[in-house]
Amino acid sequence: HVLDPLPPEVDEAVLATGYKSEEIARFVAAHPPRVPVRCVPESEPLGTGGGMRNAAEGVSDPFLLLNSDVIAEIDVRRVVEFQRTKGGLGTMTLAHVEDTSPYGVAALDPDDRITRFIEKPAPAAAPSHWINAGLSVWSREVVLGIPPGRPVSFESEILPPLLSRGVFGFRLSGFWEDAGTPDRLLRAQQLLFDGGRGGRGNVPPGALGKGPVAAGSGCQVNGATFGPYVTLGDSVTVERGAHIENAVVMEGAVVGREASVVGSLLGPHARIAAGHAVNHQVIGENGEA
């Protein structure tokens, strides 16, 4: 879903991977997106800038940078054209939020040029409510200028000196969500469904209730009921009388007879006992409740 907004002229996406890099590579190989993907692992954590530099071989000029936990409605072609018109070294998309404290915050002049960028400021110190939305366009010289082979923070080490050479802010008007926590992941799922990107949305055959529901292959759900906003991975079993709503249930998980799962995430091969209620919880891989 992170790659959904990329236009057809993008011919390759590079994933800078660290934690569980082998698992990510296996998943991409088994579920190839429409854009060819190459995974470049890090042998040690390199930070946001060091990870970019580690994955920079063959990068285009300009190139797109995407945060992997952002779900958004972005017209990437408009962002690229905005960058061409403004010039400078780069353009960062910006989303308007009330609570800026978890994010990097931009101050802009009347020409949408970013004059200051503060990473995770205290609320009183935030220069605006426009935060880094996680998609940007950069000149290749930006990534090639990052010191190789060591951890580097792009936001605190690399970005501030670039501002004097021209970095602009493109203000988003569509939906945006940072899916980096369980609650925000479920919110992102709702936004994707409502925006037509979550799947077909039908209640699976043999089940009752209300969609949208996206179900993988091999799911068994006869006699189960669903509320809105549910994703089922491959080979999920939801037994008769069980109910699921506003949830993600990953591959191979089992929800027992008359159990309920609401506002929760179930990891691969998790098992929920018959009659048990799971409310706003995260059950990890092979976990039981």
Side-chain angles (χ1 to χ4, degrees):
H1 289 301
V2 173
L3 302 179
D4 284 350
L6 294 180
E9 52 265 36
V10 173
D11 54 18
E12 183 183 48
V14 180
L15 298 186
T17 59
Y19 179 62
K20 293 195 173 184
S21 58
E22 293 181 357
E23 187 171 331
I24 292 170
R26 284 196 298 270
F27 183 90
V28 170
H31 306 83
R34 60 176 179 80
V35 179
V37 170
R38 175 166 54 93
C39 294
V40 178
E42 301 171 14
S43 57
E44 61 176 313
L46 294 173
T48 51
M52 289 169 60
R53 185 65 176 88
N54 187 59
E57 182 179 353
V59 69
S60 62
D61 191 14
F63 68 96
L64 295 165
L65 176 67
L66 291 79
N67 288 9
S68 61
D69 56 2
V70 167
I71 300 299
E73 183 180 39
I74 301 176
D75 186 335
V76 176
R77 283 182 167 142
R78 284 188 61 209
V79 180
V80 172
E81 184 57 33
F82 178 91
Q83 164 61 14
R84 289 196 184 109
T85 301
K86 293 291 187 180
L89 290 179
T91 290
M92 302 172 65
T93 59
L94 304 174
H96 192 275
V97 301
E98 290 304 314
D99 180 12
T100 60
S101 57
Y103 307 108
V105 186
L108 300 103
D109 71 10
D111 192 39
D112 287 326
R113 183 168 177 161
I114 297 175
T115 56
R116 281 192 299 151
F117 186 84
I118 305 175
E119 187 66 17
K120 298 180 176 62
S128 76
H129 286 274
W130 290 100
I131 65 163
N132 178 11
L135 184 144
S136 48
V137 185
W138 297 102
S139 168
R140 182 168 53 200
E141 72 171 278
V142 170
V143 69
L144 297 182
I146 298 173
R150 70 167 178 87
V152 179
S153 168
F154 184 80
E155 295 80 7
S156 62
E157 294 182 56
I158 304 301
L159 180 57
L162 302 179
L163 298 183
S164 63
R165 298 181 59 193
V167 177
F168 293 86
F170 182 95
R171 305 177 201 232
L172 299 181
S173 57
F175 69 74
W176 180 90
E177 186 60 80
D178 163 14
T181 69
D183 286 344
R184 296 202 300 256
L185 176 64
L186 292 175
R187 171 64 178 159
Q189 173 179 245
Q190 179 179 341
L191 291 171
L192 286 168
F193 273 124
D194 290 347
R197 287 165 51 192
R200 291 191 300 273
N202 302 327
V203 174
L208 303 171
K210 180 180 179 181
V213 176
S217 62
C219 291
Q220 301 180 45
V221 297
N222 285 336
T225 65
F226 293 90
Y229 306 122
V230 175
T231 297
L232 306 177
D234 293 342
S235 303
V236 166
T237 298
V238 186
E239 296 182 352
R240 186 171 295 277
H243 176 75
I244 302 178
E245 64 178 272
N246 188 32
V248 174
V249 182
M250 298 180 73
E251 66 269 14
V254 176
V255 179
R257 199 178 189 91
E258 305 292 334
S260 68
V261 177
V262 177
S264 298
L265 311 177
L266 305 187
H269 309 290
R271 300 186 68 87
I272 307 303
H276 192 79
V278 176
N279 294 308
H280 298 91
Q281 297 182 48
V282 177
I283 308 297
E285 185 173 4
N286 296 310
E288 297 184 1

